């Protein structure tokens, strides 16, 4: 009998944890597992703000799939469409012709992408905060703007360089802003003529509060804390234009800014719409509590791209976060195995434990199992929790080393912006 083929679309939280569990539990020759991802690594996204701030070396927040999934086949490239009817997926390697992959079981876990709005100038001028490349870019960019501001006599250029706008007050936006502002404030002592007060950091949020993941008290405290640091928090405010870096808000404010970070929500990865997957009105793959795609017994889904019923809150769906994605990945793997072996599947059930967020060195906010924490204890909890969750002993140790070195030595303040233009020097040499 042919060995069943399992195809996992996406090697992020759900994909990697599913594959890890299958790798551990599958008997020899019981199934062949293929993981297809755009990158050859899984990104531990909750550590991206710390990577952007230089507290953690960016390479340490990613997990190489080929190293941890030794018994799986890893394909780097893009899944372009998934067919349940034919049990195939169209795979496009980074180069060369596309390939049709057949499967007996499929796991659809391509996560989410930034939810952009049709705001003039946003796509050209803004940047998201979901990938390690964006985190590295932002760190170099912010330090580059401090360099620029310290080197120009032009007040207009300086003002523009020192204005940083973040749109979206969820944990990704608040943590990214909190960490980068903290890093820039710390770095500013090495830049002549720039102090914390010379920089303008602005958080723009459309609704009436930030951090919906924590209670109102904690959210209010966070706003006070950010304002105490001189950060402008503008709730009930919309970005209406960002053309040529000229920011226009709907409260009448207008100014120039060279930095615009967009973290105003996510939407399911559009690859789930390319094929015959059943989708809900938000574009998420319809899932059952067993993490099966509705109407099938061979296709599974979970994570940010899936509408998974939340059994602890009847009628609601699990929110798109890592807390659910990790647990769903494990449950999904067990249910897939049970399906292969003709055993009974178990529904996914997890009550949201709460949220932890860091706002910069020694500052944080947390609400875990109803217990609220702020300041240093919350920050320590954020670090401890995520360190424990970080996959592999190797990465845990490296991150711990980064933090220890960070306590002993000042932060690096060099902008390696030229990383994005590695050929410039060589081209210049060729011209002269
Ligand atoms: C900055 C930031 C901070 C966060 N902090 C927290 C936190 O503190 N706590 C928390 O609970 N959650 C947090 N989250 C949310 C959490 O990271 C996500 O909910 C989680 O990653 C979702 O897991 P997933 O497997 O669905 O998607 P992902 O982990 O995003 O994985 C999707 C994978 O699919 C791949 N992929 C996409 N398209 C294709 C394609 N066409 N073909 C092949 N592969 C593809 C991607 O490359 C990616 O590897 C944070 C997110 C961000 C951005």
């Amino acid at each position: 009998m042919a060995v069943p083929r399992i195809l996992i679309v996406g090697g992020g939280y759900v994909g990697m944890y599913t594959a890890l569990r299958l790798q551990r539990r599958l008997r020899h020759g019981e199934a062949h597992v293929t993981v297809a991802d755009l990158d050859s690594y899984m990104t531990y996204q909750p550590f991206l703000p710390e990577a952007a701030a230089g507290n953690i070396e960016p390479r340490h927040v990613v997990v190489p799939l080929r190293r941890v999934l030794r018994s799986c086949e890893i394909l780097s490239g893009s899944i372009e469409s998934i067919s349940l009817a034919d049990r195939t997926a169209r795979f496009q390697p980074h180069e060369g012709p596309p390939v049709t992959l057949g499967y007996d079981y499929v796991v659809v876990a391509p996560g989410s992408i930034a939810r952009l709005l049709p705001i003039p100038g946003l796509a050209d001028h803004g940047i998201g905060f979901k990938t390690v490349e964006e985190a590295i870019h932002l760190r170099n960019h912010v330090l580059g703007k401090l360099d620029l501001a310290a080197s120009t006599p032009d007040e207009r250029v300086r003002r523009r360089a020192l204005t940083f706008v973040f749109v979206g007050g969820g944990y990704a936006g608040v943590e990214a802003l909190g960490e980068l502002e903290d890093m820039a404030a710390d770095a500013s002592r090495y830049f002549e003529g720039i102090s914390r007060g010379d920089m303008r950091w602005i958080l723009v949020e459309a609704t009436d509060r930030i951090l919906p993941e924590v209670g109102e008290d904690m959210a209010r405290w966070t706003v006070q804390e950010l304002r105490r640091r001189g950060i402008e928090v503008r709730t009930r405010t919309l970005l209406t234009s960002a053309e040529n870096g000229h920011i226009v808000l709907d409260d009448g404010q207008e100014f120039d800014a060279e930095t615009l970070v967009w973290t105003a929500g996510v939407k399911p990865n559009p690859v789930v719409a390319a094929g015959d997957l059943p989708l809900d009105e938000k574009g998420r793959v319809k899932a059952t509590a067993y993490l099966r795609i509705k109407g099938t017994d061979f296709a599974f889904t979970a994570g940010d791209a899936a509408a998974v019923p939340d059994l602890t809150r009847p009628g609601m769906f699990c929110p798109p976060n890592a807390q659910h994605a990790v647990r769903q990945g494990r449950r999904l793997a067990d249910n897939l195995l049970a399906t292969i072996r003709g055993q009974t599947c178990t529904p996914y059930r997890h009550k949201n434990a709460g949220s932890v967020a860091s706002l910069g060195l020694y500052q944080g906010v947390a609400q875990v199992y109803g217990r609220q924490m702020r300041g240093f204890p919350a920050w320590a909890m954020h670090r401890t929790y995520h360190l424990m969750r970080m996959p592999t002993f190797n990465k845990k140790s490296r991150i711990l080393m980064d933090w220890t070195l960070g306590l002993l030595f000042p932060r690096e303040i060099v902008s390696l912006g030229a990383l994005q233009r590695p050929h410039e020097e060589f081209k210049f040499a060729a011209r002269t």
Side-chain angles (χ1 to χ4, degrees):
M1 214 174 83
V3 174
R5 294 157 303 169
I6 301 172
L7 173 64
I8 302 180
V9 177
Y13 269 87
V14 170
M16 193 197 74
Y17 279 100
T18 301
L20 270 177
R21 185 100 161 178
L22 288 173
Q23 177 174 270
R24 223 167 278 149
R25 299 208 152 180
L26 277 169
R27 297 185 200 116
H28 183 69
E30 197 174 12
H32 177 267
V33 182
T34 301
V35 181
D37 197 289
L38 299 171
D39 305 306
S40 59
Y41 50 80
M42 177 263 192
T43 304
Y44 192 87
Q45 289 173 343
F47 273 145
L48 287 181
E50 288 223 49
N55 302 337
I56 303 177
E57 160 65 35
R59 274 199 178 79
H60 299 165
V61 305
V62 299
V63 182
L65 296 176
R66 290 179 200 283
R67 184 178 296 164
V68 293
L69 300 175
R70 299 295 281 269
S71 314
C72 303
E73 178 188 23
I74 309 295
L75 298 178
S76 293
S78 167
I79 293 287
E80 309 270 274
S81 63
I82 302 158
S83 165
L84 297 178
D86 300 345
R87 296 206 189 187
T88 58
R90 192 178 151 89
F91 172 69
Q92 177 62 62
H94 290 308
E95 267 185 42
V99 181
T100 299
L101 303 172
Y103 62 79
D104 298 293
Y105 300 94
V106 68
V107 176
V108 179
S112 53
I113 62 166
R115 179 162 39 85
L116 260 69
L117 298 176
I119 296 170
L122 174 61
D124 294 331
H125 198 68
I127 183 167
F129 197 74
K130 262 192 85 62
T131 66
V132 71
E133 293 79 4
E134 287 168 336
I136 295 171
H137 168 81
L138 264 174
R139 172 176 171 69
N140 287 327
H141 175 85
V142 169
L143 289 170
K145 294 307 149 198
L146 296 190
D147 262 332
L148 171 63
S151 312
T152 177
D154 187 320
E155 188 48 36
R156 202 185 60 85
V157 173
R158 185 179 143 91
R159 195 89 307 281
R160 191 180 160 100
L162 293 180
T163 305
F164 307 92
V165 182
F166 287 66
V167 183
Y171 49 67
V174 171
E175 283 193 299
L177 176 136
E179 288 285 356
L180 278 162
E181 191 274 342
D182 188 55
M183 183 271 291
D186 187 35
S188 65
R189 54 200 162 113
Y190 302 104
F191 293 82
E192 212 178 323
I194 300 181
S195 67
R196 191 173 208 162
D198 293 319
M199 292 181 271
R200 190 171 175 203
W201 292 79
I202 304 148
L203 178 63
V204 178
E205 165 57 43
T207 67
D208 60 355
R209 61 164 292 188
I210 64 166
L211 288 179
E213 300 83 4
V214 301
E216 294 212 357
D217 287 359
M218 286 293 99
R220 252 194 310 274
W221 177 83
T222 308
V223 170
Q224 280 166 14
E225 183 57 22
L226 294 177
R227 287 188 175 145
R228 188 191 59 75
R229 283 162 54 177
I231 297 167
E232 295 172 37
V233 181
R234 296 175 175 273
T235 50
R236 289 203 186 92
T237 307
L238 297 173
L239 172 72
T240 56
S241 175
E243 264 180 315
N244 303 317
H246 185 67
I247 304 293
V248 183
L249 305 179
D250 74 341
D251 63 0
Q253 281 266 325
E254 284 190 38
F255 48 85
D256 288 341
E258 285 209 19
T259 310
L260 172 62
V261 185
W262 181 264
T263 55
V266 293
K267 64 178 182 187
N269 193 306
V271 69
V272 299
D276 55 3
L277 306 181
L279 304 182
D280 73 354
E281 69 294 343
K282 290 189 175 162
R284 298 172 296 189
V285 183
K286 286 187 186 170
T288 67
Y290 295 93
L291 304 176
R292 281 202 177 110
I293 294 180
K294 269 201 172 151
T296 74
D297 60 359
F298 62 91
F300 294 78
T301 188
D304 285 10
V308 176
D310 185 343
L311 297 185
T312 67
R313 298 178 306 153
M316 313 278 275
F317 295 95
C318 298
N321 63 34
Q323 198 184 128
H324 280 289
V326 171
R327 291 172 172 86
Q328 288 171 355
R330 295 201 191 108
R331 168 55 45 217
L332 193 161
D334 288 350
N335 283 351
L336 206 166
L337 267 180
T339 306
I340 293 175
R341 293 174 184 167
Q343 297 165 350
T344 316
C345 293
T346 309
Y348 171 75
R349 186 187 185 92
H350 168 67
K351 189 164 163 41
N352 224 35
S355 219
V356 286
S358 125
L359 305 173
L361 222 45
Y362 311 126
Q363 303 158 65
V365 58
Q367 183 162 325
V368 183
Y369 295 115
R371 223 180 128 214
Q372 301 183 332
M373 264 180 269
R374 55 198 191 190
F376 181 80
W379 173 82
M381 173 139 199
H382 156 84
R383 281 201 162 179
T384 315
Y385 173 80
H386 285 301
L387 187 68
M388 274 161 37
R389 292 270 160 203
M390 183 74 204
T392 82
F393 180 68
N394 177 337
K395 294 290 169 178
K396 281 187 178 68
S397 311
R398 286 174 192 268
I399 289 172
L400 206 54
M401 289 297 286
D402 288 341
W403 285 341
T404 311
L405 290 174
L407 290 175
L408 301 176
F409 301 103
R411 297 189 215 219
E412 286 296 344
I413 56 153
V414 177
S415 161
L416 292 178
L419 276 176
Q420 268 90 30
R421 307 180 302 276
H423 296 291
E424 299 259 301
E425 174 81 13
F426 199 66
K427 282 187 187 152
F428 173 72
R431 279 199 305 271
T432 52

